[in-house]
Amino acid sequence: MFLQQATWPEVAAYLERSTGIVIPIGSTEQHGPTGLIGTDAICPETIATGMAESGLLVAPTLSIGMAQHHLGFPGSITLRPSTLLAVVRDVITSLAGQGFTHFYFLNGHGGNIATVNAAFAEVWAEASLSGQESGLAMKLGNWFAGPRVTALSRELYGEADGSHATASEISLTWYAHPEAERRDGLDPVRAPNGPIRDAIDYRKHFPDGRIGSEPHLATPEHGKRFYDAGLADALDDYRAFAGS
Amino acid sequence: MFLQQATWPEVAAYLERSTGIVIPIGSTEQHGPTGLIGTDAICPETIATGMAESGLLVAPTLSIGMAQHHLGFPGSITLRPSTLLAVVRDVITSLAGQGFTHFYFLNGHGGNIATVNAAFAEVWAEASLSGQESGLAMKLGNWFAGPRVTALSRELYGEADGSHATASEISLTWYAHPEAERRDGLDPVRAPNGPIRDAIDYRKHFPDGRIGSEPHLATPEHGKRFYDAGLADALDDYRAFAGS
Amino acid sequence: MFLQQATWPEVAAYLERSTGIVIPIGSTEQHGPTGLIGTDAICPETIATGMAESGLLVAPTLSIGMAQHHLGFPGSITLRPSTLLAVVRDVITSLAGQGFTHFYFLNGHGGNIATVNAAFAEVWAEASLSGQESGLAMKLGNWFAGPRVTALSRELYGEADGSHATASEISLTWYAHPEAERRDGLDPVRAPNGPIRDAIDYRKHFPDGRIGSEPHLATPEHGKRFYDAGLADALDDYRAFAGS
Amino acid sequence: MFLQQATWPEVAAYLERSTGIVIPIGSTEQHGPTGLIGTDAICPETIATGMAESGLLVAPTLSIGMAQHHLGFPGSITLRPSTLLAVVRDVITSLAGQGFTHFYFLNGHGGNIATVNAAFAEVWAEASLSGQESGLAMKLGNWFAGPRVTALSRELYGEADGSHATASEISLTWYAHPEAERRDGLDPVRAPNGPIRDAIDYRKHFPDGRIGSEPHLATPEHGKRFYDAGLADALDDYRAFAGS
Amino acid sequence: MFLQQATWPEVAAYLERSTGIVIPIGSTEQHGPTGLIGTDAICPETIATGMAESGLLVAPTLSIGMAQHHLGFPGSITLRPSTLLAVVRDVITSLAGQGFTHFYFLNGHGGNIATVNAAFAEVWAEASLSGQESGLAMKLGNWFAGPRVTALSRELYGEADGSHATASEISLTWYAHPEAERRDGLDPVRAPNGPIRDAIDYRKHFPDGRIGSEPHLATPEHGKRFYDAGLADALDDYRAFAGS
Amino acid sequence: MFLQQATWPEVAAYLERSTGIVIPIGSTEQHGPTGLIGTDAICPETIATGMAESGLLVAPTLSIGMAQHHLGFPGSITLRPSTLLAVVRDVITSLAGQGFTHFYFLNGHGGNIATVNAAFAEVWAEASLSGQESGLAMKLGNWFAGPRVTALSRELYGEADGSHATASEISLTWYAHPEAERRDGLDPVRAPNGPIRDAIDYRKHFPDGRIGSEPHLATPEHGKRFYDAGLADALDDYRAFAGS
């Protein structure tokens, strides 16, 4: 059940049986010469489709995240951490007032992790500082870090998966958008590694945008396997968090 | 051309021929017993699909807007005006650094108008207060307020279109999602009118969420006509703003 | 009754019979070679004098507004939209705690409209997000946009009234400050039109500060007529909003 | 020269001979049963009239200050300290970009002192943190704390002047608004003293709003003497700060 | 009793007998060629040790304050006033929720005074704007401004104590850190005086960082006397504020 | 070399040979019935003493962190995440202007991790959004998570170390403060485990404050071993980050 495609009485009925919600969160940022700018939003959104089919309520994807280090590549967009913190806080507070209690953010972008967790603490801090119990549980789950997905990545690519514009995530986007498949212009084959700092520094060290990855290894068939693995990981994680 | 489905070198190439971008902005809020919660995002996103097909670059939809008055209905989400202002500022600033100069927000929600325009002024103010020229042009266009769309609304529904959960917008969502068509539970047929204040006040005065509208008049065929009218209006407005 | 010239027991007595208040809001910004920098504050303040005489409580004028685009001309002052939003929020919240419920901002400056309306939503959002009813009604009325004033402007100047440093507003300031009358240095007679962006861009396109106007057409006698029209419009609008 | 009653070319001409400006700042807050709510704005505004007559440029009065402790009395308005800080910062930054360098805030309210000084530091901090020289000098002068004024207060009232709703300030408002003179309802004659905390605590300890004062001692004639003393103090202080 | 070296049950027991707390606040900023960068934190922390020994609860020192003007000298750190305001607000709010009611900030740095007082008002304003009584008392006491300390400073150094990197404070740091004693490189012997503005301006006017002081006059023995005087002043001030 | 006990010329000299700095960051929060409230500040501060002795520059400890979940226990203090973000940003920006480039935060508290990393991104985002290179590297190192420390914890306590008020950290505080050793009142011996939410929820699930730990296993001798292990880990990590 997708929130955007439901009516409010349908949401009211859903709340009778569950107070949990899945919120996909991604980013809009370069993913190397061949990867889609929307990769980090497409991946959790795609997996969340399966979660919606299994009966969970899925909010619209927060498609712009914290991607300051990618701004040197055209098309990348960032929210400042302080802005993203406010967005996550407002989204949770809006729904909490209607009876939602369990917020599961299904994340597609490593750069969001710190800020989204800080936002959770900001919401709880508001309650804690006013001496009230929030009654809220929040969790960030990274689709790319579940046990099945990481095992599959190791099996298919080993070290060649790298950490940005990975074959894993690109496979998953090709499963969702098969027309996006392309492998040209990857030079060197394996992108360099190193720490992430600001945007100019990033472009100096990672001239085509990738980090440590070989995205030409990706295939739509791999993508289907990542979808299955990611969905199973996410459902397990969601249920451990919010009950079934 | 959709930003999320492009690579960064493709965006770099686009910037060689145009520095304008279309940013659909909507809301996640109740639209009466029969309207989709995502109506205000679906409408501009649908029209923006036509803009993307005509060669313009279309950013991912900002699907959560300023909808504080709808929070009394489950599933509605708001950003505080101050949060939305920061989001719009960060999105523009991110892209401005890469050479984009013309930002056209295609809007689906009246509640966003004041805040998005305030955000434009915040961006310009930053430049003006530091004695620099921003080089930026920004415009909010409301898909529902163009000449062809308003004429069509008048022709099809006259006064019965009302102002929230209108047959116009619901027709357009049914064009995009025909499976969403439904007309049950609208009582009274014509929803009441009145001023908008906070969420509890809103639910008191507009008990099923609609304002002045008769959404049962909507049809998917009307939706197709609204799509055509809305796209023509939006393209005209964009070109007058940013050139062709 | 002017708030600044009342005692608190007098305000307490006023609250027994009315919980509405009028808050003039203007701007401090250039108005062309002949217009006063305080024009946008003087106009609503002048009309509010009549409202005070009719028994309404009138707060001190918020004389600095959102005028970022005028900063290229000496003497212009702006609040960032985010600052003005906080000011309006604090003013309303202060008085709401004492029993005021209806806030009518009588506005003299187009540049304030978006931000003040966003501020209203910020106040309501605070209530809506915390599940409380604010009990507050807020409205921004533009003295220059009422039916009598716009008819008078059309009658006296037609298209020559333009949109900044207009003969209408300058007439009204001359009614209040007859010594300010002057008509020198207007070249060309009719100022150019165009969109408003940041301050450097503004000064390039509107070199003497006016937009589309011919302020030499103004007279103090016109000003008297604008005062009468503006007061009647404002009283009607206030009463429709807050009752009599 | 009042900024609000000048044109921008006149301000440009003023900047040729001086880059200093006087900014009256007051408050909108109860001043006991007989004092005007606008007392703290009227006092510096009145003295600033003399400064304007002596050729200095005087900005519009910032008539709403930091008055949280008075909110228990109807008609009192406060800005949060964080809001007032932003207002002062924006006002200074606006004018600094046009060549103003010396900002003299003529203050009428003790509750503003900390926040306005913090705002000055905020402006300087922005420069200091970015490694730039601001070229800006800022000073807060309290009209009620100059040598002539404090001597006159001691001479006329001694200890009976108290610290809020003082005979000194009320005399000055009666000089400006002789029709406001009134002495009824002061019981006890001398108001109590004590520390200032929040609004409810304040109203408990100072039930009619005054602190330590006997405002019935005020006269319009005293007010004239306070005006002369205050103007001489302010001019001396301004000149020591900004040159003549 | 030092908060950092207590357990929570010990703090719970303390709250049974007292709801007051001492919070030393200092700064991290240059103190001339011979003074320690931590001078303004070391001084109140040293005196607070005596307060802790007398049975008061002493929080960890807030060792970074508002020191924007010192940033031109390596090792100096500032919080923006708006940041320091938030820190003080959060510290007070945290402890207020546990039953603390009296907050005594023992301050070592003039640059903190305005901002900390503004922060107190921000906390009270939150209560006042929401119509609640905070039940909180807050006071900033400057160790260097008590009657015994100022008398001792006058006795030992007269005018030569100046206002930054004073012999008084440096004596006290040498009492706490005798190994820090040094007198080299002070040229001229007496540092210049003048107003404080931004960091570049400051370094121009006060090239070695001192203002008006002769820190070579300091001795550890003086430091012991300042410790005794400062402790007696602080205890008196605390008890007048919070009871014994 | 401790920043607080250095003079500015000494810092200037240090900058000639290194542009890195160590900033201990902790928390002020309950650590069970026997652990010190300052545990999370004392631990990194103690290890940083060894770093200072090895010639690195060590800033004053940021002793108040993000501890909202502990507020239900007296003596605990939190900064909101948004406040801590601003503090870290200001500290880094202050020192960056003087030539520091490598900021190593030695952390003692898991609750700080998300927010401090978000703060790093906020600093970089400011540069990235303005198209400038910051030249800054920042890293958060957790003293309790280095290879030697985690091996020692496993060796000494295995699973019994738990995750809050651990024997590891308490041993280290007893090494620094042997007088703090105490083991009474731990019931049950092993504290429960579970997720962390807001303060009231936390106190319900962890009634004496500990999570999964058996702090009676701690000894000062273990503390010495943790000190040695932690220092070696921290020096390795610092050098890998900033060079030697």
Side-chain angles (χ1 to χ4, degrees):
Chain A
M1 180 179 181
F2 283 108
L3 180 59
Q4 293 291 67
Q5 292 167 35
T7 64
W8 74 258
E10 290 164 355
V11 178
Y14 175 89
L15 274 166
E16 296 293 316
R17 61 181 192 274
S18 170
T19 59
I21 189 167
V22 176
I23 304 174
I25 180 166
S27 187
T28 296
E29 58 180 54
Q30 66 82 17
H31 273 75
T34 60
L36 302 183
I37 283 175
T39 296
D40 288 354
I42 293 166
C43 288
E45 188 166 282
T46 299
I47 290 171
T49 301
M51 301 179 86
E53 286 164 1
S54 82
L56 299 175
L57 183 62
V58 175
T61 302
L62 302 176
S63 50
I64 300 182
M66 207 306 293
Q68 62 83 22
H69 41 304
H70 296 296
L71 287 182
F73 296 88
S76 301
I77 302 177
T78 196
L79 300 182
R80 283 175 173 85
S82 50
T83 302
L84 180 55
L85 187 155
V87 168
V88 171
R89 180 200 63 197
D90 286 2
V91 169
I92 291 169
T93 309
S94 293
L95 294 166
Q98 298 154 9
F100 288 94
T101 59
H102 283 68
F103 297 85
Y104 185 83
F105 284 71
L106 184 65
N107 181 42
H109 174 48
N112 289 339
I113 297 173
T115 298
V116 174
N117 279 299
F120 294 166
E122 187 91 5
V123 173
W124 281 318
E126 205 54 44
S128 299
L129 283 163
S130 63
Q132 298 179 318
E133 186 168 8
S134 68
L136 303 183
M138 316 168 206
K139 184 173 185 190
L140 184 79
N142 298 301
W143 80 266
F144 49 83
R148 294 174 188 83
V149 167
T150 49
L152 182 59
S153 160
R154 260 194 314 275
E155 173 199 330
L156 293 174
Y157 318 119
E159 248 192 23
D161 208 24
S163 58
H164 185 65
T166 67
S168 301
E169 60 190 349
I170 285 181
S171 290
L172 183 49
T173 62
W174 290 351
Y175 167 65
H177 295 279
E179 76 286 0
E181 192 173 349
R182 55 187 295 183
R183 294 185 176 76
D184 48 308
L186 294 165
D187 176 21
V189 168
R190 171 87 57 97
N193 281 291
I196 291 175
R197 292 173 181 163
D198 65 34
I200 291 181
D201 179 88
Y202 186 105
R203 188 151 183 174
K204 266 191 218 162
H205 288 93
F206 312 108
D208 76 359
R210 296 173 295 142
I211 304 181
S213 68
E214 300 194 24
H216 66 281
L217 302 175
T219 73
E221 295 70 31
H222 292 174
K224 168 68 170 111
R225 295 176 65 191
F226 278 110
Y227 172 75
D228 291 337
L231 177 57
D233 282 348
L235 285 172
D236 279 2
D237 199 38
Y238 179 86
R239 286 169 185 148
F241 165 68
S244 54
Chain B
M1 180 179 181
F2 284 108
L3 180 59
Q4 293 291 68
Q5 291 169 33
T7 63
W8 74 258
E10 289 164 355
V11 178
Y14 175 89
L15 275 167
E16 297 292 317
R17 61 182 192 273
S18 170
T19 59
I21 188 166
V22 176
I23 304 174
I25 180 165
S27 187
T28 296
E29 59 181 53
Q30 66 82 18
H31 273 75
T34 59
L36 303 183
I37 284 176
T39 297
D40 288 353
I42 293 167
C43 288
E45 188 165 283
T46 301
I47 290 171
T49 302
M51 300 179 87
E53 286 164 1
S54 83
L56 299 175
L57 183 62
V58 175
T61 302
L62 301 175
S63 49
I64 300 182
M66 208 304 293
Q68 63 82 21
H69 40 305
H70 295 295
L71 288 182
F73 296 88
S76 301
I77 303 176
T78 195
L79 300 183
R80 281 175 174 85
S82 50
T83 302
L84 179 55
L85 187 155
V87 168
V88 172
R89 180 200 64 196
D90 286 3
V91 169
I92 292 169
T93 310
S94 293
L95 294 166
Q98 298 154 9
F100 287 94
T101 60
H102 283 68
F103 297 85
Y104 185 83
F105 284 71
L106 184 66
N107 181 41
H109 174 48
N112 290 338
I113 297 173
T115 299
V116 174
N117 278 300
F120 294 166
E122 187 91 4
V123 173
W124 280 317
E126 204 55 43
S128 298
L129 283 162
S130 63
Q132 297 180 319
E133 187 169 8
S134 69
L136 303 182
M138 317 168 205
K139 184 171 186 193
L140 185 78
N142 299 299
W143 80 266
F144 50 81
R148 293 175 188 84
V149 167
T150 49
L152 182 59
S153 159
R154 261 194 312 274
E155 171 199 331
L156 294 173
Y157 316 119
E159 249 192 23
D161 208 24
S163 59
H164 185 66
T166 66
S168 301
E169 59 190 351
I170 285 181
S171 291
L172 183 49
T173 62
W174 290 351
Y175 167 67
H177 296 278
E179 77 286 0
E181 192 173 351
R182 56 187 295 182
R183 293 184 177 75
D184 48 308
L186 293 166
D187 176 22
V189 168
R190 171 85 60 96
N193 280 291
I196 292 175
R197 289 170 183 165
D198 64 34
I200 291 181
D201 179 89
Y202 185 104
R203 187 148 183 177
K204 267 191 217 163
H205 289 92
F206 312 108
D208 75 359
R210 294 173 297 142
I211 304 181
S213 68
E214 300 194 24
H216 66 280
L217 301 175
T219 73
E221 295 69 33
H222 292 173
K224 167 69 170 113
R225 293 176 66 190
F226 278 110
Y227 171 76
D228 291 337
L231 176 59
D233 282 349
L235 285 172
D236 279 1
D237 199 38
Y238 179 86
R239 285 168 186 149
F241 166 67
S244 54
Chain C
M1 182 180 181
F2 283 108
L3 179 59
Q4 292 292 67
Q5 291 168 34
T7 63
W8 73 258
E10 289 164 355
V11 178
Y14 175 89
L15 275 167
E16 297 293 315
R17 61 181 192 274
S18 169
T19 58
I21 189 166
V22 176
I23 304 173
I25 180 165
S27 186
T28 296
E29 60 180 54
Q30 66 83 17
H31 273 75
T34 60
L36 302 184
I37 284 174
T39 296
D40 288 353
I42 293 166
C43 288
E45 188 165 282
T46 300
I47 290 171
T49 301
M51 300 179 86
E53 285 164 2
S54 82
L56 300 175
L57 183 62
V58 175
T61 303
L62 301 176
S63 48
I64 300 182
M66 207 305 292
Q68 62 83 22
H69 41 304
H70 295 296
L71 288 182
F73 295 89
S76 300
I77 302 178
T78 196
L79 300 183
R80 281 176 173 84
S82 50
T83 302
L84 180 54
L85 187 156
V87 168
V88 171
R89 180 200 64 197
D90 286 2
V91 169
I92 291 169
T93 310
S94 293
L95 294 166
Q98 298 153 11
F100 287 95
T101 60
H102 283 68
F103 297 85
Y104 185 82
F105 284 71
L106 184 64
N107 181 41
H109 174 48
N112 290 338
I113 297 173
T115 299
V116 174
N117 278 299
F120 294 166
E122 187 91 5
V123 174
W124 280 318
E126 205 54 45
S128 298
L129 283 162
S130 62
Q132 297 180 318
E133 186 169 8
S134 68
L136 302 183
M138 316 168 205
K139 184 172 186 191
L140 184 78
N142 299 300
W143 80 266
F144 49 82
R148 292 175 187 83
V149 167
T150 49
L152 182 59
S153 160
R154 261 194 311 274
E155 172 199 331
L156 293 174
Y157 318 119
E159 250 193 20
D161 209 23
S163 59
H164 184 67
T166 67
S168 301
E169 60 190 349
I170 286 181
S171 290
L172 183 49
T173 62
W174 290 350
Y175 167 65
H177 296 278
E179 76 286 359
E181 192 173 350
R182 55 187 295 182
R183 293 184 176 78
D184 47 309
L186 294 166
D187 176 22
V189 168
R190 172 85 58 97
N193 280 291
I196 292 175
R197 293 174 180 162
D198 64 34
I200 291 182
D201 180 88
Y202 185 104
R203 188 150 182 175
K204 265 191 219 161
H205 288 92
F206 312 107
D208 76 359
R210 295 173 296 140
I211 304 183
S213 69
E214 301 194 24
H216 67 279
L217 301 175
T219 74
E221 295 70 32
H222 291 173
K224 168 69 170 113
R225 295 176 65 189
F226 279 109
Y227 171 76
D228 292 336
L231 177 57
D233 282 348
L235 285 172
D236 280 0
D237 199 39
Y238 179 86
R239 285 168 186 150
F241 165 68
S244 55
Chain D
M1 181 179 181
F2 283 108
L3 179 59
Q4 293 290 68
Q5 291 167 33
T7 63
W8 73 258
E10 290 165 355
V11 178
Y14 176 88
L15 276 166
E16 297 291 317
R17 61 182 192 273
S18 170
T19 59
I21 188 166
V22 176
I23 304 173
I25 180 166
S27 186
T28 295
E29 59 180 54
Q30 66 82 18
H31 273 75
T34 60
L36 303 183
I37 284 175
T39 297
D40 288 353
I42 293 166
C43 288
E45 188 165 283
T46 300
I47 290 170
T49 302
M51 301 179 86
E53 286 164 1
S54 82
L56 299 175
L57 183 62
V58 175
T61 302
L62 301 176
S63 49
I64 300 182
M66 207 305 292
Q68 63 82 21
H69 41 303
H70 296 295
L71 288 182
F73 296 89
S76 301
I77 303 177
T78 196
L79 300 183
R80 283 175 172 85
S82 50
T83 302
L84 180 54
L85 188 155
V87 168
V88 171
R89 179 200 63 195
D90 286 3
V91 169
I92 291 169
T93 310
S94 293
L95 294 166
Q98 298 154 9
F100 288 95
T101 59
H102 283 68
F103 297 85
Y104 185 84
F105 284 71
L106 184 65
N107 180 42
H109 174 48
N112 290 338
I113 297 173
T115 300
V116 174
N117 278 300
F120 294 166
E122 187 91 5
V123 174
W124 281 318
E126 205 55 43
S128 298
L129 283 162
S130 63
Q132 296 180 319
E133 186 168 8
S134 68
L136 302 182
M138 315 167 207
K139 184 171 186 192
L140 185 78
N142 299 300
W143 80 265
F144 50 82
R148 292 175 189 84
V149 167
T150 51
L152 182 59
S153 160
R154 262 193 312 274
E155 172 199 331
L156 293 174
Y157 317 119
E159 248 192 23
D161 208 24
S163 58
H164 184 66
T166 66
S168 301
E169 60 189 350
I170 286 181
S171 290
L172 183 49
T173 62
W174 289 351
Y175 167 65
H177 295 278
E179 77 287 359
E181 192 172 349
R182 56 187 292 182
R183 294 185 175 75
D184 47 309
L186 294 165
D187 176 22
V189 169
R190 171 86 59 98
N193 280 292
I196 292 174
R197 291 171 182 165
D198 63 35
I200 291 182
D201 179 89
Y202 186 104
R203 188 149 183 176
K204 266 191 217 163
H205 288 93
F206 313 108
D208 75 358
R210 295 173 296 142
I211 304 182
S213 68
E214 300 194 24
H216 65 280
L217 301 176
T219 73
E221 295 70 32
H222 291 174
K224 168 71 170 110
R225 294 176 66 189
F226 279 110
Y227 172 76
D228 292 337
L231 177 57
D233 282 350
L235 285 172
D236 280 1
D237 199 39
Y238 179 86
R239 285 168 187 150
F241 165 67
S244 53
Chain E
M1 180 179 182
F2 283 107
L3 180 59
Q4 292 292 66
Q5 291 169 35
T7 63
W8 74 258
E10 289 164 354
V11 177
Y14 175 89
L15 274 167
E16 297 293 316
R17 62 182 192 274
S18 170
T19 58
I21 189 166
V22 176
I23 304 173
I25 180 165
S27 187
T28 296
E29 60 180 54
Q30 66 82 18
H31 273 76
T34 60
L36 302 183
I37 283 174
T39 296
D40 288 353
I42 293 166
C43 288
E45 189 166 282
T46 300
I47 289 170
T49 302
M51 301 179 87
E53 286 164 1
S54 82
L56 299 175
L57 184 61
V58 175
T61 303
L62 301 176
S63 49
I64 300 184
M66 207 305 293
Q68 62 83 21
H69 40 304
H70 295 296
L71 288 182
F73 296 89
S76 301
I77 302 177
T78 196
L79 300 183
R80 281 175 174 85
S82 50
T83 303
L84 180 54
L85 188 155
V87 167
V88 171
R89 180 200 64 197
D90 285 2
V91 168
I92 291 169
T93 310
S94 293
L95 294 166
Q98 298 154 10
F100 288 95
T101 60
H102 283 69
F103 297 86
Y104 186 83
F105 284 72
L106 184 65
N107 181 41
H109 174 48
N112 290 338
I113 297 173
T115 299
V116 174
N117 279 299
F120 294 166
E122 187 91 5
V123 173
W124 280 318
E126 205 56 44
S128 299
L129 283 163
S130 62
Q132 298 179 319
E133 186 168 9
S134 69
L136 303 183
M138 317 166 204
K139 184 171 186 192
L140 184 78
N142 299 299
W143 80 265
F144 50 83
R148 293 173 187 85
V149 166
T150 49
L152 182 58
S153 160
R154 261 194 312 274
E155 171 199 331
L156 293 174
Y157 318 119
E159 248 193 22
D161 209 23
S163 59
H164 185 66
T166 67
S168 302
E169 60 190 350
I170 285 181
S171 290
L172 183 49
T173 61
W174 290 351
Y175 167 66
H177 295 278
E179 76 287 0
E181 192 174 349
R182 56 187 295 183
R183 293 184 176 76
D184 47 308
L186 294 165
D187 175 23
V189 169
R190 171 86 59 95
N193 280 292
I196 292 176
R197 291 174 181 162
D198 64 35
I200 291 181
D201 179 88
Y202 186 103
R203 189 151 183 175
K204 265 190 218 163
H205 288 93
F206 312 107
D208 75 0
R210 296 173 295 142
I211 304 181
S213 69
E214 300 194 23
H216 65 280
L217 301 175
T219 73
E221 295 71 31
H222 291 174
K224 167 71 171 112
R225 295 176 66 189
F226 277 110
Y227 172 75
D228 291 337
L231 177 57
D233 281 349
L235 285 172
D236 279 2
D237 199 39
Y238 180 85
R239 286 169 186 148
F241 165 68
S244 56
Chain F
M1 180 177 182
F2 283 108
L3 180 59
Q4 292 291 67
Q5 292 168 33
T7 62
W8 73 258
E10 289 164 356
V11 177
Y14 175 89
L15 275 167
E16 297 291 316
R17 61 182 192 274
S18 170
T19 58
I21 188 167
V22 176
I23 303 174
I25 180 165
S27 187
T28 296
E29 60 180 53
Q30 67 82 19
H31 273 75
T34 59
L36 302 183
I37 283 175
T39 296
D40 288 354
I42 293 166
C43 289
E45 189 166 283
T46 300
I47 290 171
T49 302
M51 300 179 87
E53 285 164 1
S54 83
L56 298 175
L57 183 62
V58 175
T61 303
L62 301 176
S63 49
I64 301 183
M66 207 306 293
Q68 64 81 23
H69 41 303
H70 296 295
L71 287 183
F73 295 90
S76 301
I77 302 175
T78 196
L79 300 183
R80 281 176 173 86
S82 50
T83 302
L84 180 54
L85 188 155
V87 168
V88 171
R89 179 201 63 196
D90 285 2
V91 169
I92 292 169
T93 310
S94 293
L95 294 166
Q98 298 153 10
F100 288 94
T101 60
H102 283 68
F103 297 85
Y104 185 83
F105 284 71
L106 185 65
N107 181 42
H109 173 49
N112 290 338
I113 297 173
T115 299
V116 175
N117 278 300
F120 294 166
E122 187 91 4
V123 174
W124 280 318
E126 204 55 45
S128 298
L129 283 162
S130 63
Q132 296 180 320
E133 186 168 9
S134 69
L136 302 183
M138 317 168 206
K139 185 173 185 191
L140 184 79
N142 298 300
W143 80 265
F144 50 81
R148 294 175 187 83
V149 166
T150 49
L152 183 59
S153 160
R154 262 194 312 273
E155 171 199 331
L156 294 175
Y157 317 119
E159 249 193 22
D161 209 23
S163 59
H164 185 65
T166 67
S168 301
E169 60 189 349
I170 285 182
S171 291
L172 183 49
T173 62
W174 289 351
Y175 167 66
H177 295 279
E179 76 287 359
E181 192 173 352
R182 56 186 293 182
R183 293 185 176 74
D184 48 309
L186 294 166
D187 177 22
V189 168
R190 172 84 59 97
N193 280 293
I196 292 175
R197 289 170 183 166
D198 64 34
I200 291 181
D201 179 89
Y202 185 105
R203 187 149 183 175
K204 267 191 216 161
H205 289 93
F206 312 108
D208 75 359
R210 295 173 296 142
I211 304 181
S213 69
E214 300 194 24
H216 66 279
L217 302 175
T219 73
E221 295 69 31
H222 292 173
K224 168 70 170 111
R225 294 176 66 189
F226 277 110
Y227 172 75
D228 290 338
L231 177 57
D233 281 350
L235 285 172
D236 280 2
D237 199 39
Y238 179 86
R239 285 169 186 148
F241 165 67
S244 54

